[in-house]
Amino acid sequence: MRKSKCHLKKNDKVKVMTGKDAGKIGKVIRVDRKKQRLLVEHINVVKKHTRPSAQTGQGGILESEAPIHWSNVMLMCSKCVTPARIRMKRLEDGKKIRTCSRCGEIQDA
Ligand SMILES: [Zn+2]
C-alpha cells in the first residue's frame, strides 16, 4: 500500500483540485488522519433530508459538509497565493515546519 502523508492541519486554507467543488477554496475544519479525510468549510456540501420532528414540528433540508480525501486538496500558500506543495523543513532546534516548495514561505504561523 502506498504510504500517504498529510501535512494539512485545522484552519489551513486549501484549494480543491478534483470533484464537483474543484477550484474552490475553503478552510479545513477537521482532519481525520485515520481515514485520510478532511472536512472543509463550504466544500462538498451535501443536503440531508430530515423528517419532521416532535420538537420543531418541521422537517426540511439540512446542509452540511461531507469529508473529502486529502489527496483532492492542496494547501494554499499565503504568499504566492497558489496551491502549493508542502516541503517539510527541520529547524536547528529539531522543530519541523512546513514551507511552500515554490517560494519557501513558512506555512506555520
Ligand atoms: Zn508559496
Side-chain angles (χ1 to χ4, degrees):
M1 214 174 88
R2 198 168 61 93
K3 208 173 162 191
S4 169
K5 242 185 185 174
C6 178
H7 300 308
L8 296 168
K9 294 198 293 197
K10 198 178 159 185
N11 293 328
D12 274 347
K13 225 177 177 189
V14 293
K15 186 170 186 176
V16 183
M17 305 310 286
T18 53
K20 63 168 183 155
D21 288 316
K24 283 190 191 172
I25 293 164
K27 197 173 83 179
V28 176
I29 308 168
R30 208 167 64 203
V31 180
D32 189 334
R33 294 187 185 279
K34 263 188 192 153
K35 290 181 184 160
Q36 307 192 341
R37 283 175 182 272
L38 309 163
L39 214 57
V40 187
E41 205 174 39
H42 306 309
I43 301 296
N44 203 24
V45 173
V46 290
K47 289 187 170 93
K48 281 179 189 163
H49 294 265
T50 56
R51 286 166 184 274
S53 72
Q55 284 98 25
T56 60
Q58 55 181 7
I61 300 166
L62 208 81
E63 292 194 345
S64 66
E65 289 94 351
I68 57 170
H69 197 263
W70 64 36
S71 64
N72 293 343
V73 303
M74 281 182 91
L75 181 74
M76 284 296 288
C77 173
S78 51
K79 195 179 176 188
C80 52
V81 206
T82 43
R85 261 177 219 290
I86 302 167
R87 189 173 286 168
M88 296 303 287
K89 200 173 161 187
R90 194 183 284 271
L91 296 177
E92 282 175 19
D93 61 3
K95 211 173 136 196
K96 271 186 184 170
I97 52 161
R98 301 178 302 166
T99 60
C100 169
S101 69
R102 191 170 295 155
C103 68
E105 178 77 359
I106 295 164
Q107 301 299 316
D108 290 287

